[in-house]
Amino acid sequence: MGWIAEHVESIKSMKIRDTLSQLITLGMIVSTALIIWKALMCLTGSESPVVVVLSGSMEPGFKRGDILFLHMSEAPFRAGEIVVYNVEGKQIPIVHRVIEVHEQENSGKVDILTKGDANDWNDRSLYAYGQNWLKPQQIMGRAVGFVPYAGWVTIIMTEKPIIKYILVGALGLLVITSKD
Amino acid sequence: MQVSLTMNITADLQSLFTWNTKQLFIFVAAEYETPWNPLNQVSLWDAIIPAKEHAKFWIQTANKYRFIDQGSNLGGKKFNLTLHWHVMPKTGRMFADKLVMSGFRLPDEHG
């Protein structure tokens, strides 16, 4: 109880300049995070350098909650590569393995088929209506590395947004009321 | 034309297992050319090796996935078979390599 009273007191005694200063600090932290994210996008060549695994279709290799590091290059796609791709009209990207490649001269026209390691069937039923093959343009990157469990924070915050608000609110409050 | 292959695979992949190896994903793919597509890769069979004890093995198996092209008839087709292995770590970077065996040929249509 004394801890709460202390923080209430510090809020009451704050001057406008101090408040602004703390807000700017908060802004700088957010900007730094954004800069790091954009720099990662440049370094990896992928618009999404890090993704969280959301389904169990690549188990036991990847489990829900794992984080994947992606890399994108001009190199042609080949069987065995684990790719992250978007389907037209679907929000969530899919992380599966390439099992078939049919390529015209020098990546002219490329047809790709993917499948989750844990699935019995290939991904045709996941593609857009009438689409039998994936195009390289739909692929955001190749998975090159991963960290297990680290993505659970993101999953929890997405599926239970109230936790996100509580966390951000508490963080903001602590930053603003801390005495430096 | 339906293609059914039986493959005899003997392999010792134990050296790929380190303290950081979670599993190996291995697969056999056929590579071949067609008039429209100079490069075609079709996965025929795959398996997961979960531990070092299982990495030295002999297996006789039919193809898991159909050996079929997008459009053309594969009768008499020359192809390579490649064994790929993907090392999936407990954490960190993944890497992969393969072994190419060339000189295979499918029987002609009415062979």
Side-chain angles (χ1 to χ4, degrees):
Chain A
M1 274 319 280
W3 178 83
I4 297 175
E6 225 169 69
H7 273 74
V8 169
E9 271 304 307
S10 76
I11 295 171
K12 282 189 197 159
S13 66
M14 239 167 5
K15 298 187 177 79
I16 304 273
R17 194 185 298 178
D18 284 346
T19 315
L20 283 176
S21 167
Q22 297 289 12
L23 282 174
I24 289 175
T25 309
L26 202 62
M28 299 240 299
I29 294 173
V30 173
S31 308
T32 309
L34 216 71
I35 290 172
I36 293 175
W37 182 253
K38 292 289 174 183
L40 270 177
M41 278 171 64
C42 279
L43 265 172
T44 64
S46 169
E47 60 178 55
S48 190
V50 178
V51 293
V52 178
V53 178
L54 296 173
S55 84
S57 56
M58 283 295 283
E59 287 194 20
F62 302 145
K63 293 190 162 64
R64 194 167 131 85
D66 292 347
I67 284 190
L68 293 181
F69 296 100
L70 304 187
H71 189 269
M72 189 58 162
S73 73
E74 290 292 314
F77 294 107
R78 292 287 175 258
E81 292 175 354
I82 299 172
V83 296
V84 181
Y85 67 89
N86 285 306
V87 178
E88 229 175 84
K90 298 208 181 146
Q91 270 188 322
I92 302 177
I94 300 175
V95 188
H96 281 172
R97 201 181 291 270
V98 173
I99 59 166
E100 275 190 40
V101 177
H102 301 276
E103 185 179 280
Q104 271 179 17
E105 206 67 60
N106 294 324
S107 307
K109 177 172 161 299
V110 189
D111 284 336
I112 293 169
L113 185 61
T114 55
K115 176 182 166 295
D117 288 353
N119 292 345
D120 288 330
W121 309 113
N122 61 43
D123 287 353
R124 284 226 165 87
S125 56
L126 297 174
Y127 300 162
Y129 184 70
Q131 186 185 12
N132 283 328
W133 302 94
L134 212 56
K135 293 187 286 265
Q137 300 90 301
Q138 290 173 267
I139 296 178
M140 293 190 328
R142 297 175 176 83
V144 294
F146 92 117
V147 178
Y149 312 122
W152 269 113
V153 179
T154 314
I155 291 181
I156 292 171
M157 295 215 291
T158 310
E159 296 186 359
K160 305 242 178 296
I162 185 118
I163 296 193
K164 180 168 57 179
Y165 300 136
I166 294 175
L167 268 176
V168 174
L171 212 73
L173 212 66
L174 278 172
V175 170
I176 290 171
T177 61
S178 64
K179 302 194 194 292
D180 26 40
Chain B
M1 176 178 152
Q2 248 304 21
V3 180
S4 182
L5 292 167
T6 305
M7 297 177 290
N8 243 317
I9 307 173
T10 312
D12 182 355
L13 298 166
Q14 288 184 319
S15 60
L16 293 170
F17 274 90
T18 68
W19 60 273
N20 191 30
T21 306
K22 183 199 289 196
Q23 68 180 37
L24 296 183
F25 183 89
I26 62 174
F27 67 98
V28 174
E31 284 180 15
Y32 59 91
E33 282 183 22
T34 63
W36 305 268
N37 298 323
L39 179 109
N40 297 276
Q41 293 180 313
V42 172
S43 174
L44 298 176
W45 173 86
D46 55 44
I48 288 174
I49 301 179
K52 192 171 183 171
E53 302 82 73
H54 300 117
K56 189 171 184 178
F57 63 92
W58 173 83
I59 185 173
Q60 187 165 332
T61 177
N63 47 315
K64 213 173 172 184
Y65 308 115
R66 296 203 301 169
F67 190 170
I68 189 168
D69 184 61
Q70 277 182 308
S72 58
N73 186 328
L74 291 175
K77 177 67 66 185
K78 290 203 204 114
F79 63 99
N80 286 348
L81 280 179
T82 46
L83 174 68
H84 298 244
W85 52 91
H86 276 245
V87 181
M88 295 172 85
K90 294 193 177 128
T91 184
R93 195 171 174 78
M94 300 188 289
F95 62 95
D97 207 343
K98 64 181 183 184
L99 180 72
V100 181
M101 296 157 286
S102 52
F104 297 94
R105 192 170 179 275
L106 285 172
D108 296 331
E109 185 99 55
H110 304 291

